[in-house]
Amino acid sequence: MLMRSWQPFTEIETIRQQLDKAFDRRAAARDNSEAAWMPALELVDAGDSFVLKAQLPGIDPKDVDVQVTREAISISGERRWENAGEKPGSVRSEFRYGKFHRVLSLPAHIQNDSVQAECFDGILTLTLPKVSEDRNKVVKINLAEIAGTPATPALEQANQ
């Protein structure tokens, strides 16, 4: 009797590879005007501003278009093919190539004419200053100054 041991991880890997191929064929068949992939984003509230980071590894900053409104950020561009499949010894590539486009709505309005940008090690960082009305201002109230004063007339009238 011939016994074959079941190897679930090998079978799962085979299914994953088949799904990857199916999705790659689907992506290749799509119209070139659609985005082929989307970069990961991170938005942090830094008090007076938001800091937005986008992962754009291997993308020339010249190939990235950033548009900023008071309410949203649009990042689009393209990771160009390097003909990786034509290199001797190249068997497989899982890199995502093609156009991308992300739009992120912001939780508060920003001063879109004061945005600062930098791109370093494949990370695009945008510093987005909030408009003054939307900043979380902390105001200190000095209670020592009003400790000995009588209640305001509005409060006195409300208590009567």
Side-chain angles (χ1 to χ4, degrees):
M1 180 174 184
L2 180 64
M3 289 192 76
R4 180 176 174 232
S5 65
W6 183 48
Q7 298 177 342
F9 294 111
T10 303
E11 291 181 24
I12 290 172
E13 179 62 20
T14 302
I15 292 170
R16 187 192 67 78
Q17 289 174 357
Q18 290 172 347
L19 285 171
D20 284 347
K21 287 180 185 177
F23 283 116
D24 287 344
R25 283 192 301 267
R26 169 97 166 89
R30 277 195 272 175
D31 180 23
N32 287 338
S33 66
E34 291 186 44
W37 65 282
M38 293 190 309
L41 300 178
E42 175 180 271
L43 182 66
V44 176
D45 188 340
D48 288 347
S49 63
F50 293 109
V51 177
L52 176 69
K53 293 184 180 182
Q55 288 183 338
L56 302 172
I59 299 175
D60 190 332
K62 295 182 301 194
D63 294 331
V64 178
D65 179 44
V66 179
Q67 297 181 14
V68 183
T69 67
R70 288 173 45 98
E71 299 88 18
I73 305 293
S74 170
I75 302 173
S76 59
E78 183 175 5
R79 178 181 289 146
R80 301 193 188 281
W81 288 92
E82 298 175 359
N83 297 328
E86 296 177 9
K87 292 181 181 176
S90 178
V91 177
R92 177 181 178 154
S93 175
E94 294 182 354
F95 289 0
R96 300 285 183 198
Y97 294 98
K99 295 179 181 183
F100 63 89
H101 186 226
R102 289 292 307 259
V103 176
L104 179 70
S105 296
L106 298 169
H109 291 159
I110 62 163
Q111 298 174 21
N112 59 332
D113 57 351
S114 301
V115 172
Q116 296 176 349
E118 70 176 20
C119 194
F120 182 71
D121 282 347
I123 304 291
L124 170 66
T125 303
L126 301 175
T127 303
L128 312 161
K130 295 178 186 177
V131 295
S132 58
E133 304 92 55
D134 289 337
R135 292 182 183 172
N136 291 330
K137 290 187 178 180
V138 176
V139 178
K140 182 169 174 61
I141 309 285
N142 189 350
L143 296 179
E145 291 179 4
I146 61 169
T149 61
T152 61
L155 289 176
E156 287 177 4
Q157 289 174 356
N159 290 333
Q160 293 178 356

